[in-house]
Amino acid sequence: MVEKLEIGVVGGSIGGLFAAALLTQSGHRVTVLERSRHGLARRGAGLVAQQELLTLLQRVGRADASRVGVVAEERITLDRAGGILSRDPTPQMQLSWDYLYEVLRDLIPADAYRLDHAVRAVRSTDVSAEVELNSGERRFFDLVVGADGLRSVTRRAVVPDDRGNRYVGYVTWRGLIPEQALTGRAAGTLLGRFAFFTAPGAHMLGYLVPGAGGELAPGERRYNWVWYRPLSAADLAGLMDGIGRPVGSLSLAPGELPEALREQLRADARAELPPEFAEAVEAEPQPFLQAIVDYVPSAMARHRVALLGDAAVVVRPHTAMGAAKAAGDALALAALLDRLPVPEALDRYQAQRLPVGRSIAQYGQRLGDSLPLARALR
């Protein structure tokens, strides 16, 4: 019988919770180390219901959560005036990120999810792994799972010569608004559909997701919009510096954008987007931003450390497969640790999952190259 392990999971977002829920279920003693002080509510928006995610929810006994979604009955593409250029009658279900976050967090013992535990460094030998917190405290585990996203500090323990993320020249602005904020023509066009708009220097999409508590009734759901825009590396750095974010920052959380820049975003939406999408942007008081990067490492595991999700391989959101890939990583890692000693399990894990991540990343790059985004900077 394979021994039960002391496992540290660096990062308490959705990927870290995937791993923590499965490993806890298997009887391992899991501690999640999350750097945020107040939790991660409203840090995500919508998720497409991919098979790996559905499988994971079934494995942890919460298959019911996979049915808490909103179905878009068709996909439409809008022109600049808001007319419908094309229709595709293919239904698709969208889930709520924050509802799934709460579902998964409830599967972890309260004292095993540690907020305000920012990790400074991870080190490992063949027999154990050490986590050093920003506070100076050091903790030792049989295994550390790095699920700390695209700004991962765990990567250095796996790929010491890591060169980091490569910014690709565009960002996403995102919003998550009550569906009732959309009125008239905007509501009639957007609600119940997966809508797109593409033009030089812009790619926009939006769809309904459940309410924060999983509400599905009309009037209680939310509309999730995603607006891709080109932004040079220099302008991105200038934006972050002007707001007071650390050098190299790649994201803004809700509430971090100053009002003057928020007003500029509204004005740009009115000038560049179909009126329906402009109304959605107008309705979001706290838009958030994510820079789009590529990252594929040479390894996903070393000694007693494994990488998972965006910490391992970053895939562009065009694929709608980021959460599914993280779920697939977690399923593979947990299954291997159930039957193999740690060294062999991590060797098999890397052999199985690194090619999968690389393939999805390449697919996302092809999708990105087909859009008029980064080209607008040239």
Side-chain angles (χ1 to χ4, degrees), residues 44-164:
L47 295 174
V48 175
Q50 304 274 13
Q51 185 57 51
E52 293 90 343
L53 178 55
L54 304 182
T55 299
L56 187 143
L57 289 170
Q58 184 176 36
R59 294 277 175 85
V60 298
R62 288 305 309 267
D64 59 297
S66 68
R67 297 186 287 274
V68 182
V70 179
V71 176
E73 297 297 340
E74 65 175 346
R75 299 162 72 93
I76 61 171
T77 300
L78 302 181
D79 62 21
R80 174 66 181 81
I84 298 178
L85 287 173
S86 65
R87 298 175 184 268
D88 176 8
T90 302
Q92 180 172 304
M93 179 182 284
Q94 287 71 237
L95 308 178
S96 165
W97 186 98
D98 43 8
Y99 175 70
L100 288 179
Y101 169 81
E102 295 296 343
V103 165
L104 292 164
R105 185 166 173 179
D106 284 347
L107 298 175
I108 312 302
D111 62 353
Y113 190 98
R114 309 292 177 83
L115 291 171
D116 198 18
H117 278 59
V119 173
R120 177 185 300 162
V122 177
R123 305 176 187 90
S124 181
T125 68
D126 288 336
V127 296
S128 70
E130 174 192 353
V131 170
E132 180 184 351
L133 301 176
N134 281 356
S135 64
E137 181 184 356
R138 297 170 186 266
R139 298 192 179 190
F140 292 87
F141 298 96
D142 298 313
L143 171 67
V144 166
V145 178
D148 45 344
L150 56 84
R151 296 296 304 280
S152 171
V153 300
T154 313
R155 287 175 180 171
R156 293 285 181 184
V158 175
V159 190
D161 59 349
D162 175 42
R163 294 188 177 183

Side-chain angles (χ1 to χ4, degrees), residues 147-378:
D148 45 344
L150 56 84
R151 296 296 304 280
S152 171
V153 300
T154 313
R155 287 175 180 171
R156 293 285 181 184
V158 175
V159 190
D161 59 349
D162 175 42
R163 294 188 177 183
N165 304 301
R166 182 181 69 84
Y167 176 56
V168 302
Y170 58 93
V171 303
T172 62
W173 290 99
R174 306 193 68 157
L176 188 62
I177 60 176
E179 67 174 304
Q180 292 175 317
L182 296 175
T183 60
R185 178 174 165 179
T189 299
L190 299 178
L191 299 184
R193 292 163 163 158
F194 204 127
F196 296 86
F197 169 72
T198 302
H203 180 60
M204 182 91 176
L205 58 97
Y207 49 85
L208 280 170
V209 299
E215 297 86 355
L216 297 176
E220 298 180 356
R221 304 166 298 184
R222 297 166 299 168
Y223 189 75
N224 175 56
W225 58 261
V226 184
W227 184 10
Y228 293 90
R229 305 186 74 196
L231 190 67
S232 71
D235 287 342
L236 175 63
L239 171 63
M240 295 299 174
D241 181 63
I243 295 173
R245 299 281 287 135
V247 174
S249 293
L250 295 169
S251 64
L252 295 176
E256 290 189 328
L257 187 69
E259 185 57 28
L261 295 178
R262 172 72 189 93
E263 285 300 326
Q264 184 59 56
L265 192 69
R266 287 178 175 141
D268 290 348
R270 291 190 294 269
E272 301 172 17
L273 298 175
E276 294 82 357
F277 276 144
E279 183 173 324
V281 174
E282 291 259 9
E284 174 54 76
Q286 296 185 326
F288 44 111
L289 174 145
Q290 180 66 62
I292 304 302
V293 303
D294 290 332
Y295 178 78
V296 180
S298 58
M300 282 179 60
R302 183 170 181 259
H303 296 317
R304 292 282 176 135
V305 181
L307 301 176
L308 178 149
D310 283 350
V313 176
V314 178
V315 300
R316 299 194 196 183
H318 315 299
T319 66
M321 296 174 70
K325 182 182 72 66
D329 290 346
L331 286 163
L333 181 61
L336 289 164
L337 289 171
D338 276 348
R339 58 186 178 85
L340 296 171
V342 174
E344 188 176 352
L346 295 193
D347 284 346
R348 297 271 189 97
Y349 171 68
Q350 175 172 285
Q352 288 180 18
R353 296 303 298 173
L354 186 53
V356 172
R358 183 180 293 117
S359 176
I360 298 172
Q362 291 169 348
Y363 171 56
Q365 291 164 17
R366 292 193 299 272
L367 290 176
D369 289 344
S370 72
L371 298 172
L373 295 167
R375 293 195 299 274
L377 294 170
R378 298 171 188 157

